[in-house]
Amino acid sequence: MSNQKKPVGAGVRRPASATLRAQTQRAKERRTRRRRATAVACCIVPLAGIGVLGKLLADRSADDPSVARAASGPVKVPAGAAPKDPTTISYGSARAKNTLDVYEDPRCPMCGILERSVGKEVRRLAEQGTVKVNYHFAVFIDRTAGGKGSRFAVSALGAAADQDLTCFQRLHEELFAHQPDETDDGFGNAGHLLDLAARVHGLRSPSFDAAVRDLRYLPWAESVGKQFQRSGPDGTPQMELNGQRLDVFNDRGEPLTPNELTQLVRERGA
């Protein structure tokens, strides 16, 4: 570009330490971009291919008889489930003019990135009556990566939603705030889930603890996952505002920010 000003400091030799810091920062940014791109490839999985992947990648929990027995039990729907869709948990006023549908798998790393960026803003918008949030959970990473953490986490969320929707929302935040690596089935341990639940004021109780340990809501979690496969989007994470899909990551792999989400609700909301 003509008449371009010379950058401040141009031509001045930078100290070796400053150069090293700059190189280290650029390398760190490149690694972050690669991790995000890899996570996108792992999470945005066409659900039509899950059956094939499920055959190729064994579900390690299939060999656990106690889990199989719990999963095949009667479906107990949480009290906080949406009246018209028992596989969905709704948070916020039913009178809200806008509906925000959130699709996620508890083990999906990109879901974790998105939730840590806008999760609290979603809660704020719901609690001020701007939106009603419908949470739709997938559990396909248990089958693609092996394990049971997605289903156990959704089961624990069902136990929380049966007790109190505010507790559900806070546990939801804790799970994504302390999300293990996608290949680490940390959520497949009921004791670990209870440790995270202890961070939510008023959630832990003998009945809640028993529901988590006994996998009382595991059949419900299984039905939630099947519903996602039937009618959910192609992968996770995803958000829809009043039925209109939102771009939750930009071209650089950066998640939607709280301010951007609020602006979208203002521009596209009712």
Side-chain angles (χ1 to χ4, degrees):
M1 183 180 292
S2 60
N3 299 324
Q4 185 176 12
K5 291 185 178 180
K6 191 174 184 179
V8 176
V12 179
R13 185 179 181 84
R14 301 172 69 185
S17 59
T19 301
L20 180 59
R21 284 196 300 271
Q23 292 173 344
T24 301
Q25 179 61 29
R26 288 195 294 271
K28 181 178 179 181
E29 290 172 354
R30 286 196 296 271
R31 288 195 298 271
T32 299
R33 287 194 294 270
R34 283 197 297 270
R35 282 198 300 270
R36 286 175 175 169
T38 301
V40 169
C42 291
C43 284
I44 308 300
V45 178
L47 296 182
I50 287 177
V52 176
L53 287 169
K55 293 177 182 177
L56 296 175
L57 301 170
D59 181 354
R60 291 191 291 269
S61 68
D63 297 327
D64 189 333
S66 62
V67 173
R69 284 195 299 272
S72 63
V75 176
K76 179 176 172 57
V77 177
K84 295 182 179 180
D85 181 2
T87 65
T88 299
I89 301 296
S90 292
Y91 186 73
S93 173
R95 296 188 297 273
K97 294 182 179 180
N98 300 290
T99 299
L100 183 68
D101 288 283
V102 179
Y103 301 87
E104 55 196 6
D105 186 313
R107 291 178 66 184
C108 166
M110 294 303 287
C111 295
I113 291 172
L114 181 62
E115 279 294 332
R116 289 188 289 274
S117 178
V118 300
K120 286 184 171 59
E121 184 66 6
V122 169
R123 168 161 57 93
R124 188 187 72 81
L125 291 170
E127 292 177 351
Q128 73 178 20
T130 302
V131 301
K132 177 185 72 173
V133 187
N134 290 330
Y135 288 98
H136 309 264
F137 295 107
V139 297
F140 60 81
I141 291 181
D142 282 358
R143 293 171 175 82
T144 59
K148 53 197 176 186
S150 292
R151 287 167 292 160
F152 275 30
V154 173
S155 178
L157 287 167
D162 191 64
Q163 182 168 308
D164 179 82
L165 281 174
T166 298
C167 287
F168 157 81
Q169 179 66 25
R170 300 305 190 274
L171 179 60
H172 178 267
E173 289 181 8
E174 290 295 335
L175 290 178
F176 282 105
H178 300 88
Q179 184 187 54
D181 185 84
E182 183 182 5
T183 58
D184 177 358
D185 197 31
F187 286 160
N189 183 303
H192 179 55
L193 292 172
L194 289 173
D195 288 342
L196 293 177
R199 296 172 175 267
V200 179
H201 178 72
L203 177 56
R204 291 288 299 271
S205 68
S207 61
F208 172 81
D209 290 5
V212 173
R213 289 196 182 99
D214 299 343
L215 304 175
R216 192 172 303 163
Y217 292 90
L218 186 58
W220 174 77
E222 296 279 4
S223 69
V224 166
K226 290 176 182 177
Q227 176 62 22
F228 188 99
Q229 285 183 249
R230 285 193 297 267
S231 60
D234 291 340
T236 60
Q238 190 51 261
M239 288 184 175
E240 294 177 358
L241 178 64
N242 300 330
Q244 185 177 6
R245 182 169 174 167
L246 303 180
D247 292 327
V248 293
F249 285 90
N250 62 25
D251 293 339
R252 297 183 298 278
E254 298 165 340
L256 194 67
T257 68
N259 287 339
E260 288 170 343
L261 176 61
T262 299
Q263 186 62 31
L264 285 171
V265 172
R266 288 173 181 163
E267 292 175 353
R268 303 184 188 180

